[in-house]
């Protein structure tokens, strides 16, 4: 499977209902992170997100529910360290599904690298409002350390990011900057999403130029 180029703006949503609002703002990389739903509702939510993203030329990443991702022919799954304990990585790969993995420390990074993932996420970079974290903020310097370790594998920075902090994370070596609350809790989520697109444009253009350069 060839290497993937991630958009530098990576949005996480907790419902497919956000997508008709935010995809038209220029969002091209979305993770659907849904919790506490019945199985039928989960399948419907993932299928709806898949179709909406496809219609807007966006890449959908399914958080956690790798079996549904297989059943619904999705392109990408994201697994946390706890998810790795029970996920069938061989089945995920056999169905041509790409894999992203969360990391917070050296041991988790080694575990992730052993799976040859399609991206590695590092966080939280800054304090985050989303949930209580067992790990202290990683800081920008850690991004450079992780990127040197993983080489060509895309690195996703997550945790406490704003458009300004996203630019700093990308400058420090991240390939993509991930956001949840800064957009979903904004007074005007659509306007904030457009700010994120603008803030990541320089990285987006640089990545596109690099990908178009002959080897």
């Amino acid at each position: 499977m060839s290497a993937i180029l991630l958009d530098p703006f990576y949005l996480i949503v907790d419902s497919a209902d956000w997508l008709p609002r935010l995809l038209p703002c220029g969002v091209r990389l979305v993770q659907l992170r849904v919790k506490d739903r019945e199985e039928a509702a989960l399948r419907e939510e993932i299928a709806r997100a898949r179709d909406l993203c496809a219609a807007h030329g966006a890449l959908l990443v399914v958080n956690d529910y790798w079996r549904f991702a297989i059943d619904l022919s999705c392109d990408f799954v994201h697994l946390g360290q706890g998810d790795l304990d029970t996920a069938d990585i061989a089945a995920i790969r056999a169905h041509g599904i790409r894999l992203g993995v969360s990391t917070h420390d050296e041991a988790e990074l080694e575990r992730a690298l052993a799976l040859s993932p399609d991206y590695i996420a590092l966080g939280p970079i800054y304090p985050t409002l989303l949930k209580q974290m067992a790990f202290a903020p990683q800081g920008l310097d850690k991004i450079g350390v992780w990127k040197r370790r993983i080489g060509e594998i895309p690195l996703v920075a997550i945790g406490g990011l704003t458009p300004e902090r996203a630019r700093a994370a990308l400058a420090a070596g991240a390939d993509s900057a991930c956001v949840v609350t800064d957009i979903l809790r904004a007074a005007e989520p659509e306007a904030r999403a457009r700010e994120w697109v603008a803030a990541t444009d320089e990285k987006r253009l640089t990545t596109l130029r690099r990908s178009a350069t002959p080897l």
Side-chain angles (χ1 to χ4, degrees):
M1 190 178 292
S2 60
I4 190 168
L5 293 176
L6 295 181
D7 192 87
F9 169 28
Y10 186 170
L11 174 64
I12 295 179
V13 297
D14 56 10
S15 169
D17 289 343
W18 284 105
L19 299 180
R21 297 175 59 182
L22 298 177
L23 286 170
C25 299
V27 176
R28 292 295 176 264
L29 176 59
V30 181
Q31 182 184 133
L32 180 66
R33 183 190 286 171
V34 181
K35 305 293 182 183
D36 303 321
R37 301 278 185 92
E38 296 293 331
E39 182 172 315
L42 276 171
R43 290 179 64 91
E44 182 178 342
E45 190 85 359
I46 293 169
R48 183 178 175 221
R50 177 201 61 195
D51 294 346
L52 286 166
C53 285
H56 286 83
L59 178 63
L60 175 68
V61 181
V62 177
N63 180 270
D64 188 8
Y65 296 105
W66 57 271
R67 292 182 181 86
F68 292 150
I70 290 174
D71 292 346
L72 296 169
S73 300
C74 296
D75 296 319
F76 223 122
V77 297
H78 178 95
L79 299 178
Q81 291 288 318
D83 302 323
L84 293 176
D85 295 336
T86 56
D88 188 339
I89 303 300
I92 292 170
R93 292 305 198 187
H95 286 83
I97 297 175
R98 293 183 181 272
L99 174 66
V101 180
S102 294
T103 65
H104 308 86
D105 61 22
E106 289 283 345
E108 292 184 353
L109 178 58
E110 289 297 330
R111 186 186 191 191
L113 287 172
L115 301 174
S116 300
D118 295 284
Y119 75 71
I120 285 175
L122 171 66
I125 305 303
Y126 294 93
T128 176
L129 300 174
L130 183 62
K131 58 183 177 180
Q132 289 294 111
M133 297 294 294
F135 296 88
Q138 306 281 356
L140 293 174
D141 290 343
K142 193 72 164 286
I143 293 174
V145 173
W146 246 234
K147 188 58 183 173
R148 287 190 291 275
R149 288 285 307 280
I150 70 177
E152 293 302 311
I153 299 172
L155 177 62
V156 175
I158 183 171
L161 297 182
T162 62
E164 296 76 16
R165 288 175 171 180
R167 279 194 290 264
L170 295 171
D175 298 284
S176 188
C178 197
V179 56
V180 188
T181 57
D182 189 68
I183 290 179
L184 301 193
R185 296 185 184 179
E188 298 182 13
E190 292 90 343
R192 193 61 167 170
R194 287 190 289 270
E195 287 183 44
W196 270 83
V197 172
T200 53
D201 260 344
E202 182 177 351
K203 177 70 172 181
R204 187 173 294 106
L205 291 172
T206 300
T207 301
L208 289 173
R209 290 193 200 100
R210 187 181 300 124
S211 67
T213 301
L215 296 178

